[in-house]
Amino acid sequence: MHRAPQMTLPRGSKYLQCTWEKAYQDHRKKVRDAQPLVDTRAPLCLRHLPLNIKKLKLEEERLSVIDRDNYLLLEKVSCIMRTRGQTDNRNDYTHRRK
């Protein structure tokens, strides 16, 4: 039911009509063979802009403090496990006399 597009240009001369049809066919071929021009790639990521050096340094310092505290707690727990968890309540100092 689809018809081929009819030329809407008047037919003044056979040569002119042939030239228009050739130009139209060339145009249709260019449209059919056209490649997309839209760039669908991800945008370029500038790595130096989102990098917050001060924030990273503070985070590194915070993590080092946490690691040090964890190490100290681990030493205390291992000492308790080695000594069977007994409490040390002796005072090994001498009183000064007045």
Side-chain angles (χ1 to χ4, degrees), residues 21 31 46 48 55 66-67 87:
E21 285 180 8
V31 169
L46 303 177
H48 69 282
K55 185 176 180 182
I66 290 172
D67 285 341
T87 58

Side-chain angles (χ1 to χ4, degrees), residues 23-40:
Y24 180 72
Q25 292 304 324
D26 289 343
H27 167 71
R28 293 301 301 159
K29 183 180 180 210
K30 287 179 182 178
V31 169
R32 186 177 57 242
D33 297 338
Q35 297 294 320
L37 295 177
V38 177
D39 184 13
T40 57

Side-chain angles (χ1 to χ4, degrees), residues 63-77:
L63 290 176
S64 67
V65 168
I66 290 172
D67 285 341
R68 184 176 52 88
D69 291 344
N70 284 343
Y71 179 75
L72 291 174
L73 286 173
L74 180 65
E75 287 296 316
K76 289 179 182 180
V77 169

